C-alpha cells in the first residue's frame, strides 16, 4: 500500500514553545491530508483537513490559531502546535489517500 | 454529518474462537467502509475494506459484511490468534474526492492463548 511518513515520532517540549509535525506522502501525491488527535484508549478525532494550496478546514472546537496547518506541496503537510501546554499532550496522527494510509503518529508530551 | 457506532468496546476470546465486531452508520450516502487494526502505540493499519456495491468480502481469516438497507457492517475474524489482539476501528465515508472517514470508537480485542 501507499506510504505516509510522519516525523517526529516522539517529542517532549516545554510549555509555551511550539512544535512542528511533518506528514509526507512518499509514493503518491495527496491534495488532501487529515490530522487526527487520539487520546489514550479512544478513537481518532479529526482535527482538520489539510488542503494543498489553500486554507485548512478545521473541525468544530479546534482552534486554528493554536494548531497551524500548512500544506505547501502535494506531498507535505505540517501541523504546528503553538504555545503548547500540558493539555496539548496527546498522540497526533496524519493520514492521506482514499484508504486513509496513516503516518506513524507523533506522541507529544508538554512539560 | 455521519455518525458511526461500534460495538462491543472490548471483546475477549480464546485462541481459535471467532470474533465479530459490529458497526452502524447513519448517512445512507456513505459508500466506503474500511476497517483498521491498531496495535499499542502504532499507527492504524488498513486490514480490509468494502464498498457499497458488494455485500461481503473475505481475505483469509478476515471477512467483512455490509447491509446497506440496515446501514450496518461487521468484521469477522475466524481462528483467532494472540497476534490478532489489538484495537480495531471501523469507518464510513462517502469516498470520492472529498474522502473524510468517520471512525467508530474502537474495539479492544484480546485473544487469550
Amino acid at each position: 500500500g501507499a506510504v505516509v511518513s510522519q516525523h517526529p515520532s516522539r517529542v517532549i517540549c516545554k510549555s509555551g514553545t511550539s512544535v512542528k509535525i511533518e506528514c509526507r506522502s512518499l509514493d503518491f501525491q495527496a491534495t488532501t491530508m487529515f490530522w487526527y488527535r487520539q487520546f489514550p484508549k479512544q478513537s481518532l478525532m479529526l482535527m482538520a483537513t489539510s488542503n494543498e494550496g489553500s486554507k485548512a478546514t478545521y473541525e468544530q472546537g479546534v482552534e486554528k490559531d493554536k494548531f497551524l496547518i500548512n500544506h505547501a506541496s502535494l506531498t507535505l503537510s505540517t501541523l504546528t502546535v503553538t504555545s503548547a501546554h500540558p493539555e496539548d499532550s496527546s498522540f497526533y496522527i496524519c493520514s492521506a489517500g482514499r484508504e486513509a494510509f496513516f503516518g506513524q503518529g507523533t506522541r507529544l508530551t508538554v512539560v | 454529518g455521519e455518525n458511526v457506532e461500534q460495538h462491543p468496546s472490548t471483546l475477549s476470546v480464546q485462541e481459535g474462537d471467532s470474533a465479530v465486531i459490529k458497526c452502524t452508520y447513519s448517512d445512507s450516502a456513505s459508500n466506503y467502509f474500511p476497517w483498521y487494526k491498531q496495535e499499542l502505540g502504532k499507527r492504524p493499519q488498513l486490514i480490509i475494506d468494502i464498498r457499497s456495491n458488494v455485500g461481503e468480502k473475505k481475505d483469509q481469516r478476515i471477512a467483512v459484511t455490509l447491509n446497506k438497507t440496515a446501514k450496518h457492517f461487521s468484521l469477522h475474524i475466524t481462528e483467532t490468534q494472540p497476534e490478532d489482539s489489538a484495537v480495531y476501528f471501523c469507518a464510513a465515508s462517502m469516498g470520492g474526492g472529498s474522502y473524510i472517514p468517520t471512525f467508530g470508537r474502537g474495539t479492544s480485542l484480546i485473544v487469550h492463548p
Side-chain angles (χ1 to χ4, degrees):
Chain A
V3 178
V4 175
S5 178
Q6 186 174 340
H7 177 82
S9 58
R10 289 180 179 273
V11 59
I12 301 173
C13 70
K14 293 184 178 180
S15 287
T17 61
S18 295
V19 174
K20 179 184 282 189
I21 303 169
E22 294 187 349
C23 181
R24 293 180 185 274
S25 57
L26 298 185
D27 53 359
F28 66 102
Q29 294 182 331
T31 56
T32 304
M33 293 185 178
F34 303 97
W35 287 96
Y36 296 87
R37 184 172 180 176
Q38 187 176 32
F39 293 101
K41 297 185 179 182
Q42 293 193 24
S43 189
L44 300 153
M45 182 191 79
L46 180 64
M47 298 175 64
T49 302
S50 174
N51 304 299
E52 188 269 335
S54 63
K55 292 182 179 180
T57 304
Y58 289 82
E59 295 300 301
Q60 191 172 10
V62 178
E63 299 177 59
K64 60 180 67 177
D65 293 331
K66 181 163 188 63
F67 299 100
L68 299 179
I69 290 173
N70 184 276
H71 196 147
S73 76
L74 288 171
T75 59
L76 174 64
S77 175
T78 61
L79 168 68
T80 301
V81 183
T82 63
S83 186
H85 292 283
E87 57 265 31
D88 298 325
S89 299
S90 192
F91 189 62
Y92 295 86
I93 193 164
C94 67
S95 77
R98 176 183 169 89
E99 292 80 13
F101 297 105
F102 288 89
Q104 300 93 321
T106 299
R107 184 157 304 282
L108 171 64
T109 303
V110 185
V111 298
Chain B
E2 176 64 276
N3 181 50
V4 176
E5 298 285 340
Q6 182 173 347
H7 299 280
S9 57
T10 59
L11 180 58
S12 183
V13 300
Q14 288 296 127
E15 182 177 2
D17 288 349
S18 296
V20 180
I21 302 170
K22 298 181 179 181
C23 288
T24 60
Y25 61 100
S26 61
D27 193 334
S28 57
S30 290
N31 58 16
Y32 177 63
F33 307 92
W35 286 88
Y36 299 91
K37 175 183 179 181
Q38 186 177 27
E39 297 177 2
L40 189 64
K42 297 186 178 180
R43 76 180 94 187
Q45 298 270 21
L46 177 70
I47 55 171
I48 196 168
D49 58 11
I50 191 168
R51 287 170 170 79
S52 60
N53 58 344
V54 298
E56 183 174 359
K57 184 176 179 180
K58 189 173 182 180
D59 183 4
Q60 298 182 343
R61 296 187 296 110
I62 295 173
V64 59
T65 58
L66 170 65
N67 184 326
K68 285 186 62 180
T69 303
K71 294 206 281 287
H72 66 70
F73 55 113
S74 302
L75 177 71
H76 304 252
I77 306 174
T78 58
E79 300 172 32
T80 54
Q81 301 166 4
E83 50 265 39
D84 294 329
S85 297
V87 177
Y88 291 81
F89 293 99
C90 64
S93 81
M94 285 182 279
S98 57
Y99 168 83
I100 300 178
T102 301
F103 288 88
R105 295 178 64 83
T107 296
S108 178
L109 173 64
I110 301 170
V111 181
H112 299 281

